[in-house]
Short mmCIF file of all heavy atoms in Angstrom, two decimals:
data_model
loop_
_atom_site.label_atom_id
_atom_site.label_comp_id
_atom_site.label_asym_id
_atom_site.label_seq_id
_atom_site.Cartn_x
_atom_site.Cartn_y
_atom_site.Cartn_z
N ILE A 312 109.80 165.72 -66.13
CA ILE A 312 109.42 165.03 -67.37
C ILE A 312 108.04 165.51 -67.82
O ILE A 312 107.83 165.85 -68.98
CB ILE A 312 109.46 163.51 -67.20
CG1 ILE A 312 110.91 163.03 -67.09
CG2 ILE A 312 108.75 162.81 -68.37
CD1 ILE A 312 111.07 161.56 -66.74
N ALA A 313 107.08 165.54 -66.89
CA ALA A 313 105.71 165.95 -67.22
C ALA A 313 105.66 167.37 -67.78
O ALA A 313 104.81 167.68 -68.61
CB ALA A 313 104.80 165.83 -66.00
N ALA A 314 106.57 168.22 -67.34
CA ALA A 314 106.60 169.60 -67.83
C ALA A 314 107.04 169.70 -69.29
O ALA A 314 106.78 170.71 -69.94
CB ALA A 314 107.54 170.44 -66.95
N SER A 315 107.67 168.63 -69.80
CA SER A 315 108.23 168.68 -71.15
C SER A 315 107.57 167.72 -72.12
O SER A 315 108.11 167.46 -73.20
CB SER A 315 109.73 168.38 -71.10
OG SER A 315 110.40 169.40 -70.39
N THR A 316 106.41 167.13 -71.76
CA THR A 316 105.74 166.20 -72.66
C THR A 316 104.23 166.28 -72.45
O THR A 316 103.77 166.74 -71.40
CB THR A 316 106.21 164.74 -72.44
OG1 THR A 316 105.64 163.90 -73.44
CG2 THR A 316 105.85 164.23 -71.06
N THR A 317 103.49 165.84 -73.46
CA THR A 317 102.04 165.73 -73.31
C THR A 317 101.63 164.28 -72.99
O THR A 317 100.45 164.00 -72.84
CB THR A 317 101.32 166.18 -74.60
OG1 THR A 317 101.78 165.39 -75.70
CG2 THR A 317 101.57 167.65 -74.87
N LEU A 318 102.60 163.39 -72.91
CA LEU A 318 102.32 162.00 -72.56
C LEU A 318 101.96 161.88 -71.08
O LEU A 318 102.43 162.67 -70.26
CB LEU A 318 103.54 161.12 -72.84
CG LEU A 318 103.96 160.98 -74.30
CD1 LEU A 318 105.29 160.24 -74.40
CD2 LEU A 318 102.89 160.25 -75.09
N PRO A 319 101.15 160.87 -70.73
CA PRO A 319 100.91 160.65 -69.30
C PRO A 319 102.19 160.22 -68.60
O PRO A 319 102.98 159.44 -69.15
CB PRO A 319 99.88 159.53 -69.27
CG PRO A 319 99.57 159.14 -70.66
CD PRO A 319 100.43 159.94 -71.59
N VAL A 320 102.39 160.73 -67.39
CA VAL A 320 103.55 160.39 -66.58
C VAL A 320 103.06 159.80 -65.27
O VAL A 320 102.18 160.36 -64.62
CB VAL A 320 104.44 161.62 -66.31
CG1 VAL A 320 105.60 161.26 -65.39
CG2 VAL A 320 104.95 162.22 -67.61
N ILE A 321 103.64 158.66 -64.91
CA ILE A 321 103.32 158.00 -63.64
C ILE A 321 104.57 158.07 -62.78
O ILE A 321 105.63 157.57 -63.18
CB ILE A 321 102.90 156.53 -63.86
CG1 ILE A 321 101.71 156.45 -64.82
CG2 ILE A 321 102.58 155.88 -62.51
CD1 ILE A 321 101.41 155.05 -65.31
N GLY A 322 104.44 158.66 -61.61
CA GLY A 322 105.56 158.77 -60.70
C GLY A 322 105.58 157.64 -59.69
O GLY A 322 104.55 157.28 -59.13
N VAL A 323 106.76 157.09 -59.46
CA VAL A 323 106.96 156.07 -58.43
C VAL A 323 107.88 156.67 -57.36
O VAL A 323 109.07 156.85 -57.60
CB VAL A 323 107.62 154.79 -59.01
CG1 VAL A 323 107.85 153.76 -57.90
CG2 VAL A 323 106.80 154.21 -60.14
N PRO A 324 107.32 157.01 -56.21
CA PRO A 324 108.19 157.49 -55.13
C PRO A 324 109.03 156.33 -54.60
O PRO A 324 108.50 155.26 -54.31
CB PRO A 324 107.21 157.99 -54.06
CG PRO A 324 105.85 157.60 -54.49
CD PRO A 324 105.92 157.00 -55.84
N ILE A 325 110.33 156.55 -54.51
CA ILE A 325 111.25 155.49 -54.08
C ILE A 325 111.64 155.75 -52.62
O ILE A 325 112.01 156.86 -52.26
CB ILE A 325 112.50 155.45 -54.97
CG1 ILE A 325 112.06 155.33 -56.42
CG2 ILE A 325 113.47 154.39 -54.50
CD1 ILE A 325 112.36 154.14 -57.17
N LYS A 326 111.53 154.69 -51.84
CA LYS A 326 111.84 154.80 -50.40
C LYS A 326 113.30 155.16 -50.21
O LYS A 326 114.19 154.53 -50.75
CB LYS A 326 111.52 153.47 -49.71
CG LYS A 326 111.66 153.50 -48.22
CD LYS A 326 111.21 152.19 -47.63
CE LYS A 326 111.27 152.22 -46.12
NZ LYS A 326 110.77 150.97 -45.55
N GLY A 327 113.51 156.18 -49.45
CA GLY A 327 114.86 156.61 -49.09
C GLY A 327 114.76 157.20 -47.71
O GLY A 327 114.46 156.50 -46.74
N MET A 328 114.89 158.47 -47.63
CA MET A 328 114.72 159.15 -46.35
C MET A 328 113.22 159.24 -46.05
O MET A 328 112.39 159.22 -46.95
CB MET A 328 115.33 160.54 -46.44
CG MET A 328 116.83 160.51 -46.74
SD MET A 328 117.54 162.13 -46.94
CE MET A 328 117.60 162.63 -45.23
N LEU A 329 112.87 159.31 -44.80
CA LEU A 329 111.48 159.46 -44.35
C LEU A 329 110.57 158.37 -44.91
O LEU A 329 109.40 158.60 -45.19
CB LEU A 329 110.95 160.85 -44.71
CG LEU A 329 111.74 162.05 -44.19
CD1 LEU A 329 111.14 163.35 -44.70
CD2 LEU A 329 111.82 162.04 -42.68
N ASP A 330 111.11 157.18 -45.12
CA ASP A 330 110.36 156.03 -45.64
C ASP A 330 109.66 156.31 -46.96
O ASP A 330 108.64 155.71 -47.27
CB ASP A 330 109.34 155.53 -44.60
CG ASP A 330 110.01 154.78 -43.46
OD1 ASP A 330 111.08 154.19 -43.68
OD2 ASP A 330 109.44 154.77 -42.35
N GLY A 331 110.16 157.24 -47.74
CA GLY A 331 109.60 157.54 -49.04
C GLY A 331 108.53 158.62 -49.03
O GLY A 331 108.05 159.05 -50.07
N LEU A 332 108.14 159.07 -47.83
CA LEU A 332 107.12 160.12 -47.73
C LEU A 332 107.58 161.40 -48.41
O LEU A 332 106.80 162.07 -49.09
CB LEU A 332 106.77 160.39 -46.27
CG LEU A 332 105.70 161.44 -46.01
CD1 LEU A 332 104.37 161.04 -46.66
CD2 LEU A 332 105.51 161.65 -44.51
N ASP A 333 108.86 161.74 -48.27
CA ASP A 333 109.39 162.93 -48.91
C ASP A 333 109.25 162.85 -50.43
O ASP A 333 108.80 163.79 -51.08
CB ASP A 333 110.85 163.17 -48.51
CG ASP A 333 111.74 161.94 -48.67
OD1 ASP A 333 111.21 160.81 -48.75
OD2 ASP A 333 112.97 162.10 -48.69
N ALA A 334 109.58 161.68 -50.99
CA ALA A 334 109.47 161.50 -52.44
C ALA A 334 108.01 161.54 -52.88
O ALA A 334 107.66 162.18 -53.88
CB ALA A 334 110.10 160.17 -52.85
N MET A 335 107.13 160.88 -52.12
CA MET A 335 105.72 160.87 -52.49
C MET A 335 105.14 162.28 -52.49
O MET A 335 104.45 162.68 -53.43
CB MET A 335 104.92 159.98 -51.54
CG MET A 335 103.45 159.87 -51.93
SD MET A 335 102.47 158.90 -50.79
CE MET A 335 102.57 159.89 -49.33
N LEU A 336 105.44 163.04 -51.46
CA LEU A 336 104.91 164.41 -51.39
C LEU A 336 105.45 165.27 -52.53
O LEU A 336 104.72 166.10 -53.08
CB LEU A 336 105.22 165.04 -50.03
CG LEU A 336 104.47 164.43 -48.85
CD1 LEU A 336 104.98 164.99 -47.54
CD2 LEU A 336 102.97 164.64 -48.98
N SER A 337 106.70 165.08 -52.90
CA SER A 337 107.27 165.83 -54.02
C SER A 337 106.53 165.52 -55.32
O SER A 337 106.29 166.42 -56.13
CB SER A 337 108.75 165.50 -54.19
OG SER A 337 109.49 166.00 -53.12
N ILE A 338 106.18 164.26 -55.52
CA ILE A 338 105.55 163.86 -56.77
C ILE A 338 104.09 164.28 -56.83
O ILE A 338 103.60 164.72 -57.87
CB ILE A 338 105.71 162.34 -57.00
CG1 ILE A 338 107.20 161.99 -57.15
CG2 ILE A 338 104.95 161.90 -58.24
CD1 ILE A 338 107.49 160.50 -57.17
N ILE A 339 103.36 164.18 -55.72
CA ILE A 339 101.92 164.48 -55.78
C ILE A 339 101.60 165.97 -55.76
O ILE A 339 100.50 166.36 -56.10
CB ILE A 339 101.12 163.76 -54.67
CG1 ILE A 339 101.54 164.23 -53.29
CG2 ILE A 339 101.24 162.26 -54.80
CD1 ILE A 339 100.67 163.68 -52.17
N GLN A 340 102.57 166.80 -55.39
CA GLN A 340 102.29 168.23 -55.28
C GLN A 340 102.67 168.98 -56.55
O GLN A 340 103.44 169.93 -56.53
CB GLN A 340 103.05 168.81 -54.08
CG GLN A 340 102.57 168.22 -52.78
CD GLN A 340 103.22 168.88 -51.59
OE1 GLN A 340 102.67 169.81 -51.03
NE2 GLN A 340 104.40 168.39 -51.24
N MET A 341 102.08 168.58 -57.66
CA MET A 341 102.35 169.23 -58.93
C MET A 341 101.42 170.42 -59.13
O MET A 341 100.26 170.38 -58.70
CB MET A 341 102.18 168.22 -60.07
CG MET A 341 103.19 167.09 -60.04
SD MET A 341 104.91 167.65 -60.07
CE MET A 341 104.93 168.53 -61.61
N PRO A 342 101.90 171.45 -59.80
CA PRO A 342 101.05 172.62 -60.04
C PRO A 342 99.98 172.32 -61.10
O PRO A 342 100.14 171.39 -61.90
CB PRO A 342 102.03 173.67 -60.55
CG PRO A 342 103.15 172.89 -61.14
CD PRO A 342 103.25 171.63 -60.34
N PRO A 343 98.91 173.10 -61.13
CA PRO A 343 97.87 172.90 -62.15
C PRO A 343 98.48 172.91 -63.55
O PRO A 343 99.35 173.71 -63.86
CB PRO A 343 96.95 174.10 -61.95
CG PRO A 343 97.17 174.52 -60.53
CD PRO A 343 98.61 174.22 -60.24
N GLY A 344 98.02 171.98 -64.36
CA GLY A 344 98.49 171.90 -65.75
C GLY A 344 99.62 170.91 -65.97
O GLY A 344 99.94 170.59 -67.11
N ILE A 345 100.25 170.45 -64.89
CA ILE A 345 101.35 169.50 -65.02
C ILE A 345 101.04 168.28 -64.13
O ILE A 345 101.66 168.08 -63.09
CB ILE A 345 102.71 170.13 -64.59
CG1 ILE A 345 102.94 171.48 -65.22
CG2 ILE A 345 103.86 169.17 -64.90
CD1 ILE A 345 103.13 171.46 -66.73
N PRO A 346 100.05 167.46 -64.53
CA PRO A 346 99.69 166.32 -63.68
C PRO A 346 100.72 165.19 -63.76
O PRO A 346 101.34 164.98 -64.79
CB PRO A 346 98.36 165.86 -64.27
CG PRO A 346 98.45 166.23 -65.71
CD PRO A 346 99.23 167.53 -65.75
N VAL A 347 100.88 164.52 -62.64
CA VAL A 347 101.67 163.29 -62.57
C VAL A 347 100.84 162.30 -61.75
O VAL A 347 100.53 162.57 -60.59
CB VAL A 347 103.04 163.51 -61.91
CG1 VAL A 347 103.77 162.18 -61.72
CG2 VAL A 347 103.91 164.46 -62.73
N ALA A 348 100.46 161.19 -62.35
CA ALA A 348 99.79 160.14 -61.59
C ALA A 348 100.84 159.58 -60.62
O ALA A 348 102.01 159.48 -60.98
CB ALA A 348 99.28 159.04 -62.52
N THR A 349 100.43 159.24 -59.43
CA THR A 349 101.39 158.76 -58.44
C THR A 349 100.88 157.48 -57.81
O THR A 349 99.72 157.39 -57.41
CB THR A 349 101.60 159.83 -57.34
OG1 THR A 349 101.90 161.08 -57.95
CG2 THR A 349 102.74 159.44 -56.42
N VAL A 350 101.76 156.49 -57.74
CA VAL A 350 101.44 155.23 -57.06
C VAL A 350 102.11 155.24 -55.69
O VAL A 350 102.80 156.19 -55.33
CB VAL A 350 101.89 154.02 -57.91
CG1 VAL A 350 101.09 153.95 -59.22
CG2 VAL A 350 103.38 154.05 -58.18
N GLY A 351 101.92 154.19 -54.94
CA GLY A 351 102.50 154.11 -53.60
C GLY A 351 104.02 154.02 -53.63
O GLY A 351 104.64 153.78 -54.67
N VAL A 352 104.61 154.20 -52.46
CA VAL A 352 106.06 154.14 -52.32
C VAL A 352 106.56 152.76 -52.76
O VAL A 352 106.03 151.73 -52.34
CB VAL A 352 106.47 154.43 -50.86
CG1 VAL A 352 107.97 154.23 -50.67
CG2 VAL A 352 106.06 155.84 -50.45
N ASN A 353 107.53 152.77 -53.65
CA ASN A 353 108.15 151.56 -54.22
C ASN A 353 107.19 150.70 -55.03
O ASN A 353 107.48 149.54 -55.32
CB ASN A 353 108.80 150.70 -53.13
CG ASN A 353 110.10 151.27 -52.61
OD1 ASN A 353 110.52 152.34 -53.01
ND2 ASN A 353 110.73 150.56 -51.70
N ALA A 354 106.05 151.23 -55.42
CA ALA A 354 105.02 150.46 -56.12
C ALA A 354 105.20 150.52 -57.64
O ALA A 354 104.26 150.83 -58.39
CB ALA A 354 103.63 150.93 -55.71
N ALA A 355 106.38 150.18 -58.10
CA ALA A 355 106.67 150.22 -59.54
C ALA A 355 105.78 149.27 -60.33
O ALA A 355 105.39 149.58 -61.46
CB ALA A 355 108.15 149.90 -59.79
N MET A 356 105.45 148.12 -59.74
CA MET A 356 104.58 147.20 -60.47
C MET A 356 103.21 147.82 -60.70
O MET A 356 102.65 147.69 -61.79
CB MET A 356 104.45 145.87 -59.74
CG MET A 356 103.65 144.87 -60.54
SD MET A 356 103.88 143.24 -59.89
CE MET A 356 102.62 142.37 -60.80
N ASN A 357 102.66 148.50 -59.70
CA ASN A 357 101.38 149.18 -59.90
C ASN A 357 101.49 150.26 -60.98
O ASN A 357 100.55 150.46 -61.75
CB ASN A 357 100.85 149.78 -58.60
CG ASN A 357 100.00 148.79 -57.82
OD1 ASN A 357 99.71 147.71 -58.29
ND2 ASN A 357 99.62 149.18 -56.63
N ALA A 358 102.62 150.92 -61.05
CA ALA A 358 102.82 151.91 -62.10
C ALA A 358 102.78 151.24 -63.47
O ALA A 358 102.17 151.76 -64.41
CB ALA A 358 104.16 152.64 -61.90
#
């Protein structure tokens, strides 16, 4: 989504395998120029 918009994007890693660590690492490891703010695992309210 972040790659296709100039709007701010907030990622919520959802707990699944590896207690959500896999999802969190996928979201926080964005390349330069494509930022995604990331909250804690399952922390949709904080998002």
Side-chain angles (χ1 to χ4, degrees):
I312 289 173
S315 295
T316 186
T317 58
L318 295 172
V320 177
I321 303 168
V323 179
I325 306 246
K326 186 175 183 177
M328 300 177 76
L329 304 176
D330 286 332
L332 181 61
D333 50 342
M335 183 183 65
L336 291 172
S337 292
I338 296 171
I339 64 173
Q340 296 185 94
M341 295 303 300
I345 312 293
V347 174
T349 309
V350 295
V352 174
N353 285 3
M356 185 165 170
N357 271 353

